[in-house]
Amino acid sequence: MNHTHTETALPTAETAKKLGLLPEEFEKIKTILGRTPNFTELSIFSVMWSEHCSYKNSITWLKTLPRKGKRTLIEAGEENAGLVDIGNGLACAFKIESHNHPSALEPYQGAATGVGGINRDIFTMGARPIAQLNSLRFGNPKLDRTRWLVKGVVKGIGDYGNAFGIPTVGGEVFFDDCYNQNPLVNAMSAGIVKIGETASATSYGEGNPVFIVGSSTGKDGIHGATFASEDITEASNEKIPAVQVGDPFQEKLLLEASLEVIKTGAVIGMQDMGAAGITCSTSEMSAKGEHGMIIYLDKVPMRQKNMVPFEILLSESQERMLIVVEKGREEEVNAVFEKWDLNCVQIGEVTKEKRLKYYMNSELVADVPAWDLVLGGGAPVYQREYKEPAYYPESKKFSIEQVEEPKDLKAVAKHLAGHPNIASKKWVYEHYDSMVGTVNMSTNAPSDAAIVNIKDTEEALAFTVDCNSRYVNADPEIGTAIAVAEAARNIVCSGGEPLAITNCLNFGNPYSPEVYWQFVGAIKGMGAACRKFDTAVTGGNVSFYNQSTINNKTEPVFPTPTIGMLGLLENKATRTTLDFKNAGDLIYLIGESKNDISSSEYLYSFVGVKNSPAPYFDLENEYALQQVVKSLIVNNVLVSAHDCSDGGLFITLLESAMPNNLGFNIDTDSDFRKDAFLFGEAQSRVVVSVKQENQEKLVELLSASGIEFTLLGEVTTENNLVVDEENFGSVAELKNTYDNAIGNIMKQ
Amino acid sequence: MKFGVVIFPGSNCDQDMIYTLRNGMGQLVEELWHKDKDLKGCDFIVLPGGFSYGDYLRSGAIARFSPIMEKVIEHANAGGYLMGVCNGFQILCEAHLVPGALLHNTSHKFICKNVFIKAETNESLVTAEIPLTKALKIPIAHGEGRFFAGTETLKKMNANKQILFRYCDENGNLTDEANPNGSFENIAGVCNEGRNVFGMMPHPERASDPVLNNTDGQFIFRSLLSAVGV
């Protein structure tokens, strides 16, 4: 075998280590090949066996999650995204993915290419994206670095998603010091496809041609997958070449061309090029189809001169796809890409022998077995040790008695309404085109989940992303169950039925037993909640190494298992919004009040207690609550429904009051501390408003359910927010605080 | 009347416009591909929103040179109806089919939100039936929508009643706060001197489907349909 200039000597365990491989992994590669790999081959293994591509430290636990649900058509891990039956002969493909590490270094491109990547996962399956969401976590907004990251990430998501032309319908933004160095950028996309018209990421049929389509290949993003699989340090800036550069215009053309080419019926398989580029797509498709490929790297359209084989193989240049075509139908495929003025070049062919043979200028530069490279094949699988961290029992010692009830509760209300974690995210989402596609039903009628119309049907889809990582940090198992429960609650309160989830598991270094303990707890909690709500996990992404070592101090981020949930409204008539609509309507709290302020924004940022347990949560109660809310909606009893979450009851009421500039007049319950009643974040509570004439019906249904409920008061026109006859201010005043808090911070 | 919606590479509001005209307003609609060289007998051409040719160089700057635009320009110069929304309006400006230019928003940010606009005159196809006191809620979504024209041009446009829409608050007042992008004189939509070419930044097709809880955009479509007697 010939060697290029980078491969003058055969690599050693030392080279392997530099590429992120363990010594035992290097030995395993030698055994697989029956010889020492050359540098190109070692690079191939290093990216395919990176955490990012192989899930080697997570797959054992991921397999414990429920994968099969009532409507799952394609399960987790089978294709680029999961697929769920949504009726009318249609299916929804949806997935969430992280782009944390690139965004930490180059927020604009890092976030933009995150959006590009997740959308390709959807349309490579033949589904047309219809909605995007994102979940963002940043450090302290008072830091210049944070504001630089926020501006870059938001602009990156906006510029890419807006030009691509799919509406951003929902998301979340959360700030905490733990994300100062390592922000989290999780992007979700969902698309729709007719059942039976999907494309598969597979390759078979000896002699079938292999095409690369879309953008040319450059030196950007090389070793991106490996970079995503290590901690961020001071030296990370040197990895900027590992960040890819996105072009949404090319992505838009690639979307249209890909959907058009699938329609020809000439496509055997198709996979987008994300992490690990040509290497990953050729090996995963070949392993799935149980065939091999010969690839001529010199035929790949290149942006730069003098690219060496490993660079071509590992480049993560964006907006590219690998397509395996039925032999003899090449012209049909070419015609589509010519129409869209995109590259479409045959770079190889399918072979019967299950090996990947990469040639450069007629010389064989790498020869590796496909199966051994991939997850579910020969990629390593590890069981990691885990250990309860010291902070966990400590935080359980917290009791509400340690906190004196504040004299001025109005000050708490004002603090919360203006806190960036609770305040309106308007400054962020006005950068995103939320209305293109004319399907976003939430623009003019806000609800807990984003409601997306499926045109020409009775149906609509509901989407939400949720995770309160402070709860997860306090108790990974309960906190993650809460994330799933809250997502389901959002969908139920909007009039939908939860169907399935996708997850984005953002954690620190898996080799830290304390971090891994958080991961294991999160998976257990997620599994339990998903089984209860019958929401299968259809896929997602694991992002470890979200921790930074600065001045020799290692800080992992809060464990952040973001839940993206899909729900269905079989009939748009059940859609329920969160806003109070008429003065005089009665306000009820459904669910139990608790003397609980644990892990609330109030306790954390107003009182200043950083360690406390997760808030009160009981999975069975939560499930029962959601069933009764569903029945109230189906029986057309409710005027509005809004779940009680971050900021507690007062913020929930405020959020229901603001859209129509209405006030409320409520009484607290003397069985509970007032601060806990108003600002505690005990779970499984929903605030509803109901017309007086429906009160009886409401009480009847609630009494029959056995769920606790409280008449809080009523909606008023006076614009005032009155609690126990005390005026907490006008809705206009708090709305001003709520609407402008983030914008004011970003101006600094 | 037959509508033709032009699809440039990078157009992304084309299907929304087609859906509104076809399903919402019950009209015949042809898709016109940017490489086409004829207008397939369409009477009313629409340049939709999006990022034609990636909006490289400047929004709308490349699209005006595409093959279909040669025919579109001929059509407009012969008095044919032509409307551009958002990126379509930017293309009309670049092609000098309407006066003025669309600059970066004063905030230098892309802005997507509902705004209010008010028709200034009933003497145009697209505003013929809109009550002049009515503040229409129509969304915008653009980074370059700040309407600019020289003093003389503005004077002439005002005198000729070429200003079709201005940004206003929900009560119809033309205020600075209600101007989302810094447009001169709150201008949101204009027409040419011949009154057959219309451009506007807000998206009426995004406010036409009742399922989205806002149908103010229908005022514009109904106006133009009834004005031509459809």
Side-chain angles (χ1 to χ4, degrees):
Chain A
M1 202 175 292
N2 201 295
H3 299 290
T4 63
H5 67 280
T6 51
E7 307 175 36
T8 42
L10 283 178
T12 60
E14 196 54 33
T15 328
K17 197 178 158 201
K18 278 184 191 154
L19 292 176
L21 289 163
L22 299 170
E24 58 267 33
E25 290 171 341
F26 183 59
E27 288 307 313
K28 195 173 169 185
I29 294 164
K30 287 203 277 192
T31 312
I32 288 167
L33 294 180
R35 59 179 167 79
T36 304
N38 65 31
F39 183 80
T40 305
E41 291 163 338
L42 189 65
S43 292
I44 291 171
F45 276 96
S46 80
V47 289
M48 291 307 295
W49 287 8
S50 71
E51 191 64 50
H52 193 79
C53 293
S54 74
Y55 293 81
K56 59 190 170 191
N57 288 310
S58 60
I59 189 67
T60 309
W61 282 98
L62 294 179
K63 282 185 171 167
T64 67
L65 292 169
R67 295 181 177 213
K68 201 157 185 62
K70 49 199 162 192
R71 288 168 174 261
T72 341
L73 298 171
I74 291 178
E75 290 178 31
E78 290 182 337
E79 293 287 351
N80 280 287
L83 195 71
V84 174
D85 188 340
I86 54 171
N88 285 317
L90 298 172
C92 178
F94 73 114
K95 191 179 175 187
I96 190 165
E97 205 165 74
S98 63
H99 238 213
N100 305 334
H101 285 72
S103 304
L105 296 191
E106 214 297 47
Y108 180 83
Q109 289 296 347
T113 53
V115 171
I118 193 63
N119 278 299
R120 278 195 303 285
D121 275 340
I122 302 306
F123 69 79
T124 194
M125 296 183 62
R128 178 176 284 279
I130 55 155
Q132 312 184 69
L133 296 93
N134 54 68
S135 172
L136 311 177
R137 282 171 184 78
F138 298 103
N140 189 331
K142 291 190 178 115
L143 299 174
D144 288 344
R145 174 177 160 82
T146 300
R147 291 197 299 270
W148 170 73
L149 285 168
V150 172
K151 284 176 188 166
V153 165
V154 169
K155 190 166 165 49
I157 291 173
D159 283 0
Y160 202 101
N162 298 346
F164 183 55
I166 307 303
T168 300
V169 300
E172 50 173 358
V173 186
F174 185 85
F175 299 89
D176 190 276
D177 286 348
C178 74
Y179 303 108
N180 279 350
Q181 293 304 323
N182 198 135
L184 301 182
V185 175
N186 296 174
M188 173 168 159
S189 176
I192 286 186
V193 59
K194 278 190 187 153
I195 293 173
E197 292 187 8
T198 49
S200 176
T202 189
S203 165
Y204 52 82
E206 191 179 3
N208 278 333
V210 178
F211 283 83
I212 190 167
V213 301
S215 294
S216 303
T217 299
K219 291 190 183 182
D220 52 328
I222 292 168
H223 280 299
T226 313
F227 165 50
S229 306
E230 50 186 56
D231 294 359
I232 289 184
T233 64
E234 286 99 330
S236 290
N237 268 336
E238 293 162 15
K239 302 263 167 121
I240 281 187
V243 179
Q244 314 87 333
V245 180
D247 180 350
F249 174 57
Q250 292 295 317
E251 177 102 337
K252 168 68 175 165
L253 303 184
L254 189 61
L255 159 71
E256 300 300 338
S258 299
L259 295 184
E260 222 168 287
V261 82
I262 291 169
K263 285 214 172 79
T264 64
V267 173
I268 300 281
M270 175 151 94
Q271 179 162 345
D272 80 298
M273 271 177 245
I278 295 176
T279 303
C280 188
S281 50
T282 51
S283 54
E284 287 188 354
M285 288 174 82
S286 298
K288 188 176 171 75
E290 298 179 354
H291 274 67
M293 279 181 195
I294 292 178
I295 299 290
Y296 304 99
L297 295 172
D298 45 293
K299 291 194 176 168
V300 173
M302 279 172 267
R303 246 176 243 176
Q304 276 149 307
K305 282 183 186 163
N306 306 321
M307 284 183 73
V308 297
F310 91 88
E311 291 173 324
I312 303 169
L313 279 163
L314 269 53
S315 163
E316 294 185 7
S317 288
Q318 301 289 291
E319 294 96 24
R320 301 178 301 158
M321 293 268 191
L322 196 76
I323 303 186
V324 175
V325 174
E326 203 180 310
K327 197 172 169 59
R329 302 186 67 179
E330 293 87 343
E331 273 322 298
E332 292 168 66
V333 171
N334 273 321
V336 170
F337 288 93
E338 194 172 316
K339 174 185 166 188
W340 291 97
D341 298 313
L342 289 171
N343 287 324
C344 176
V345 178
Q346 187 183 339
I347 59 165
E349 62 178 59
V350 178
T351 58
K352 214 169 168 181
E353 189 194 14
K354 295 171 192 169
R355 293 187 81 83
L356 300 166
K357 293 187 173 179
Y358 302 103
Y359 286 84
M360 184 81 178
N361 303 321
S362 319
E363 285 160 19
L364 181 64
V365 292
D367 179 358
V368 290
W371 188 85
D372 290 282
L373 292 171
V374 302
L375 161 70
V381 175
Y382 299 127
Q383 311 269 0
R384 294 257 74 86
E385 281 175 19
Y386 53 96
K387 189 175 99 195
E388 184 182 282
Y391 78 82
Y392 180 66
E394 276 306 304
S395 62
K396 289 209 159 192
K397 291 180 187 157
F398 170 80
S399 139
I400 189 170
E401 278 76 44
Q402 294 159 9
V403 176
E404 198 183 328
E405 197 172 341
K407 298 257 171 337
D408 185 4
L409 291 173
K410 281 181 269 188
V412 181
K414 204 166 172 211
H415 165 82
L416 290 176
H419 193 285
N421 286 348
I422 286 169
S424 168
K425 306 303 182 286
K426 189 169 77 143
W427 184 89
V428 173
Y429 66 71
E430 281 183 359
H431 285 78
Y432 308 147
D433 192 335
S434 56
M435 302 185 218
V436 63
T438 58
V439 290
N440 186 349
M441 291 171 64
S442 297
T443 306
N444 302 303
S447 47
D448 282 358
I451 307 299
V452 175
N453 187 28
I454 308 176
K455 286 177 182 172
D456 308 317
T457 73
E458 292 294 303
E459 298 185 336
L461 296 178
F463 294 102
T464 180
V465 281
D466 290 288
C467 178
N468 186 319
S469 56
R470 190 188 302 136
Y471 303 168
V472 183
N473 189 57
D475 191 314
E477 197 166 336
I478 296 174
T480 309
I482 291 176
V484 176
E486 188 186 343
R489 205 186 309 137
N490 284 336
I491 285 171
V492 165
C493 286
S494 309
E497 175 72 28
L499 292 189
I501 73 155
T502 174
N503 56 33
C504 198
L505 308 173
N506 310 273
F507 288 81
N509 190 324
Y511 292 85
S512 150
E514 288 85 0
V515 166
Y516 208 74
W517 175 86
Q518 295 174 328
F519 178 75
V520 170
I523 297 295
K524 287 180 182 167
M526 189 185 305
C530 285
R531 277 184 282 272
K532 188 75 214 173
F533 298 111
D534 193 10
T535 50
V537 181
T538 61
N541 154 243
V542 178
S543 171
F544 282 131
Y545 304 96
N546 291 292
Q547 59 187 39
S548 39
T549 306
I550 304 288
N551 300 327
N552 291 324
K553 199 167 171 247
T554 298
E555 297 281 357
V557 300
F558 280 167
T560 313
T562 310
I563 304 298
M565 192 177 277
L566 163 71
L568 177 67
L569 282 73
E570 282 188 328
N571 189 329
K572 279 173 253 212
T574 63
R575 193 262 300 258
T576 303
T577 54
L578 62 80
D579 51 324
F580 294 150
K581 293 177 187 65
N582 323 292
D585 285 355
L586 301 173
I587 305 170
Y588 276 86
L589 172 67
I590 308 178
E592 274 177 80
S593 294
K594 293 275 169 191
N595 247 341
D596 178 23
I597 55 171
S598 290
S599 283
S600 63
E601 189 61 60
Y602 156 62
L603 180 66
Y604 193 78
S605 65
F606 188 86
V607 181
V609 173
K610 302 294 177 194
N611 288 318
S612 63
Y616 166 80
F617 177 72
D618 180 281
L619 189 56
E620 297 301 325
N621 281 355
E622 174 75 41
Y623 182 77
L625 169 91
Q626 292 188 19
Q627 303 320 303
V628 76
V629 172
K630 274 187 222 169
S631 86
L632 290 169
I633 288 172
V634 169
N635 285 291
N636 209 13
V637 178
L638 303 182
V639 174
S640 70
H642 187 20
D643 95 301
C644 212
S645 60
D646 302 6
L649 177 66
F650 184 87
I651 292 297
T652 309
L653 292 163
L654 175 67
E655 287 172 346
S656 290
M658 287 185 293
N660 299 317
N661 294 312
L662 291 163
F664 57 77
N665 186 343
I666 63 145
D667 291 319
T668 61
D669 184 331
S670 56
D671 288 349
F672 305 96
R673 268 173 60 154
K674 223 166 169 172
D675 57 345
F677 191 82
L678 292 174
F679 310 117
E681 297 181 13
Q683 296 295 297
S684 313
R685 296 180 298 155
V686 171
V687 168
V688 302
S689 69
V690 57
K691 285 202 164 75
Q692 297 206 359
E693 63 259 35
N694 280 330
Q695 183 177 20
E696 213 173 304
K697 212 166 153 190
L698 176 101
V699 171
E700 197 180 301
L701 282 163
L702 285 173
S703 306
S705 75
I707 296 283
E708 279 191 31
F709 61 100
T710 317
L711 174 61
L712 291 174
E714 63 174 45
V715 181
T716 61
T717 42
E718 293 101 71
N719 292 341
N720 286 329
L721 311 173
V722 180
V723 179
D724 296 335
E725 290 167 14
E726 189 181 353
N727 190 354
F728 272 54
S730 74
V731 66
E733 191 186 321
L734 276 176
K735 187 175 190 307
N736 188 37
T737 306
Y738 180 89
D739 278 351
N740 298 313
I742 293 184
N744 289 339
I745 291 169
M746 295 309 295
K747 266 188 228 146
Q748 288 164 16
Chain B
M1 187 150 69
K2 188 156 95 169
F3 287 86
V5 176
V6 177
I7 304 174
F8 298 103
S11 291
N12 61 31
C13 305
D14 47 323
Q15 294 307 318
D16 301 350
M17 185 58 84
I18 291 166
Y19 184 83
T20 301
L21 290 169
R22 205 179 263 163
N23 302 49
M25 311 309 293
Q27 298 301 303
L28 274 179
V29 187
E30 286 278 359
E31 295 188 6
L32 303 173
W33 182 237
H34 70 118
K35 291 178 186 171
D36 288 350
K37 290 194 177 95
D38 81 279
L39 301 181
K40 297 183 181 170
C42 294
D43 315 290
F44 194 114
I45 306 299
V46 182
L47 307 183
F51 292 73
S52 54
Y53 302 90
D55 272 353
Y56 292 129
L57 189 60
R58 212 169 44 244
S59 296
I62 304 174
R64 63 171 284 214
F65 296 110
S66 69
I68 191 87
M69 278 306 287
E70 203 178 304
K71 296 292 159 190
V72 170
I73 292 168
E74 267 175 33
H75 165 87
N77 287 341
Y81 294 127
L82 170 62
M83 180 174 179
V85 171
C86 198
N87 191 234
F89 184 17
Q90 293 165 339
I91 297 167
L92 294 179
C93 289
E94 287 288 339
H96 305 295
L97 290 168
V98 292
L102 293 157
L103 311 179
H104 281 282
N105 300 343
T106 39
S107 65
H108 283 270
K109 287 193 302 224
F110 185 96
I111 305 167
C112 174
K113 63 176 184 183
N114 278 325
V115 299
F116 289 91
I117 58 171
K118 204 162 72 160
E120 172 109 338
T121 169
N122 291 126
E123 291 174 42
S124 89
L125 204 63
V126 296
T127 58
E129 302 232 318
I130 305 175
L132 299 185
T133 49
K134 166 99 183 146
L136 305 174
K137 182 164 88 174
I138 313 273
I140 55 163
H142 59 249
E144 294 168 44
R146 181 185 182 217
F147 186 82
F148 168 86
T151 319
E152 281 309 304
T153 309
L154 279 173
K155 216 167 135 186
K156 205 169 129 191
M157 289 176 80
N158 276 304
N160 291 342
K161 299 186 176 178
Q162 282 173 255
I163 315 297
L164 300 184
F165 297 106
R166 294 189 202 266
Y167 298 107
C168 62
D169 65 18
E170 59 186 321
N171 301 313
N173 304 308
L174 306 178
T175 63
D176 286 347
E177 294 72 41
N179 184 347
N181 51 24
S183 286
F184 276 46
E185 298 185 5
N186 284 36
I187 291 171
V190 303
C191 68
N192 65 344
E193 250 180 281
R195 310 192 87 72
N196 60 317
V197 182
F198 321 98
M200 64 189 294
M201 286 314 293
H203 287 268
E205 80 281 11
R206 296 185 179 189
S208 290
D209 188 346
V211 81
L212 303 182
N213 280 43
N214 177 14
T215 53
D216 282 3
Q218 285 189 8
F219 277 94
I220 291 163
F221 294 110
R222 278 203 304 265
S223 248
L224 73 89
L225 289 176
S226 71
V228 294
V230 176

